[in-house]
DNA sequence: CGGCAGATTGATTGGGGTCAAGGGCTGTGG
DNA sequence: CCACAGCCCTTGACCCCAATCAATCTGCCG
């Protein structure tokens, strides 16, 4: 199931059938599986391979010596971990699974071959890297300026749009394997406060989380209170139009 | 004076004299100057060119509709703005000068030529992009988990190391054109609280800021209280060693 | 039927925000 | 060379959002 991967990268460059086949072939090469809540790679390690998430959710995180942890992004099916591997000496962050995860490992040789053989794929990977940086900037804004309520609303919007882009939503519902502690680590809050804030969002008829599933009851209003503008996700061609229309919602 | 640029990119790939000449030539092509506190490019614009800072300080920032502003990175001489230009449809952030700034604009044609003619430069730009993403992750950690005191100490360390890498320090001193409001916008604090925190850092004999100049009085201790580990800056070969030694300081 | 992870609740605290008023430096114009 | 303006820094008093601490509750799994 590399469909998500295709969809994801397809947002950044027009891929030919040939490209798609190539991607599928390489992604099928070194597939691994791992249980929930385990590290795929660890900060400080010498990078061995680039990771492509095929199935399940993961998170990248950084940690201070005293235990404070900050999740810096979530990885869903189709997301490449970053290409640190091929230029930088050491990994600056860890990646951990949230659910059980199936993922592919691209060796440097695989990566080089892919990039040389297909300029489109190279361009798509480049685009993905830029989009990732953009998302990181939005997270800095999120954690630096927004209130708890806005932060969580924003995170929910972001993940919903990302899932939507790879076909993993059903109407206004989707999987939601994150614990309140996960949300806390991603937003720089405590799980206690996340709990109270989620209750408030439920009371206001914005969202509903139950049984590892999320339902968005009022997307327009959720995006409005989060001052969420999906442009920063750079989700393919349609994004610009959707973005401008959602801006009016504010 | 493209020396800083050479030094900066040289950290990510071995550049030949030829590469250096090429860089210097292109950077000299479209040079512009701009006064302090003005926007170089604005969020939402269609990107026209990639920016290379030749002289002066700038900041990238994002803004919410109600005026809350978050600085997401500082640009010093030698820093390229990111290469959004060539893949993404719209800029997701603005860039503003802090001091008067001299900068070069690379058109897409310039960029393509550079990348095609020199794989080393392409690799260096790629490396810079990855390092930028890494710095963003550290900022998320900074704003999400650290206390005000730690955040500011961390920011000071980061800028000092970056300046050092391009030869813009004198011993433990360097230029410091940032106002307390700038620091506040970069750390997600208010300028009032930045003020009080800086006073505390001065009282504790860590740093001294006066007349747009910074003096670091005790770098080891400053890095320690900030839990600063320079690895994430990916500053060329030496960084790994320096990083591990500074880790012992903790 | 325990055991455990995750969700929930209450009471209390505290870091940092807000508001408002001065103080100082520096550049500019007279 | 002085005077004023504007930006920045500084200070004080007060407030509030979110953290902390400490149970309790719930649902799931073996």
């Amino acid at each position: 199931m590399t469909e998500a991967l295709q969809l994801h990268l397809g947002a950044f460059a027009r891929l030919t059938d040939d490209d798609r086949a190539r991607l599928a072939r390489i992604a099928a090469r070194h597939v691994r599986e791992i249980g929930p809540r385990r590290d795929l790679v660890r900060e400080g390690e010498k990078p061995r391979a680039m990771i492509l998430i095929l199935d399940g959710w993961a998170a990248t995180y950084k940690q201070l010596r005293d235990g404070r942890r900050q999740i810096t992004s979530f990885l869903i099916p189709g997301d490449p971990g970053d290409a640190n591997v091929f230029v930088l000496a050491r990994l600056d962050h860890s990646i951990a699974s949230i659910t059980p995860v199936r993922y592919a490992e691209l060796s440097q040789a695989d990566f080089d071959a892919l990039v040389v053989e297909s300029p489109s794929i190279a361009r798509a990977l480049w685009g993905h890297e830029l989009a990732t940086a953009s998302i990181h900037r939005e997270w800095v804004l999120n954690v630096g300026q927004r209130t708890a309520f806005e932060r969580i609303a924003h995170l929910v919007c972001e993940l919903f749009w990302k899932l939507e882009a790879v076909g993993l939503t059903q109407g206004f519902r989707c999987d939601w394997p994150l614990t309140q502690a996960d949300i806390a680590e991603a937003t720089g809050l405590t799980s206690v406060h996340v709990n109270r804030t989620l209750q408030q969002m439920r009371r206001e008829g914005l969202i509903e989380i139950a049984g590892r599933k999320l339902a968005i009851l009022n997307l327009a209003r959720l995006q409005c209170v989060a001052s969420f503008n999906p442009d920063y996700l750079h989700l393919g061609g349609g994004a610009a139009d959707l973005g401008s229309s959602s801006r009016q919602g504010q």
Side-chain angles (χ1 to χ4, degrees), chain A:
Chain A
M1 231 287 268
T2 56
E3 203 180 304
L5 181 59
Q6 314 273 0
L7 279 168
H8 184 88
L9 289 178
F12 300 110
R14 202 174 304 282
L15 299 182
T16 65
D17 289 345
D18 225 39
D19 293 330
R20 287 167 194 286
R22 221 190 300 278
L23 260 178
R25 190 165 0 101
I26 292 217
R29 194 89 66 78
H30 302 289
V31 174
R32 290 165 192 265
E33 311 212 2
I34 194 168
R37 308 290 166 182
R38 324 191 111 296
D39 282 342
L40 280 73
V41 300
R42 250 187 223 107
E43 188 174 349
E45 275 178 0
K46 202 176 169 60
R48 295 165 319 187
M50 181 173 172
I51 281 174
L52 297 174
I53 305 291
L54 301 177
D55 242 335
W57 290 40
T60 66
Y61 69 91
K62 303 190 61 139
Q63 197 154 22
L64 296 174
R65 272 161 236 51
D66 63 13
R68 280 175 288 177
R69 249 169 69 114
Q70 175 70 43
I71 289 178
T72 54
S73 68
F74 289 107
L75 303 179
I76 62 171
D79 276 330
D82 76 0
N84 256 324
V85 200
F86 310 118
V87 186
L88 304 179
R90 303 243 157 243
L91 284 169
D92 55 76
H93 62 277
S94 307
I95 305 183
S97 61
I98 290 170
T99 65
V101 164
R102 212 161 51 79
Y103 65 102
E105 283 194 343
L106 282 202
S107 69
Q108 170 132 30
D110 291 335
F111 179 87
D112 288 345
L114 209 52
V115 165
V116 168
E117 288 170 21
S118 164
S120 299
I121 294 180
R123 190 182 184 77
L125 287 169
W126 177 245
H128 171 263
E129 199 60 41
L130 293 174
T132 299
S134 170
I135 293 177
H136 283 140
R137 282 187 287 269
E138 186 74 24
W139 279 47
V140 174
L141 173 64
N142 206 32
V143 175
Q145 300 296 331
R146 285 191 250 254
T147 64
F149 194 90
E150 294 169 324
R151 277 183 224 183
I152 296 175
H154 192 275
L155 177 66
V156 170
C157 292
E158 174 174 314
L159 286 172
F160 187 76
W161 277 70
K162 279 186 65 175
L163 289 166
E164 228 261 325
V166 291
L168 289 175
T169 52
Q170 302 84 45
F172 289 104
R173 316 183 132 269
C174 63
D175 284 344
W176 192 263
L178 303 184
T179 65
Q180 296 181 354
D182 292 327
I183 300 176
E185 287 183 350
T187 52
L189 301 165
T190 58
S191 60
V192 171
H193 198 59
V194 167
N195 180 283
R196 298 197 227 264
T197 307
L198 284 176
Q199 286 178 52
Q200 193 188 339
M201 294 176 73
R202 194 172 315 153
R203 255 182 276 122
E204 297 190 11
L206 291 173
I207 63 169
E208 189 80 47
I209 297 178
R212 315 280 101 160
K213 290 278 179 185
L214 163 73
I216 296 186
L217 306 177
N218 190 333
L219 181 57
R221 202 143 57 78
L222 188 68
Q223 294 187 160
C224 184
V225 302
S227 48
F228 179 86
N229 175 337
D231 286 2
Y232 77 94
L233 293 170
H234 299 287
L235 293 172
D241 304 327
L242 284 164
S244 63
S245 75
S246 82
R247 228 185 259 123
Q248 296 167 3
Q250 169 68 4

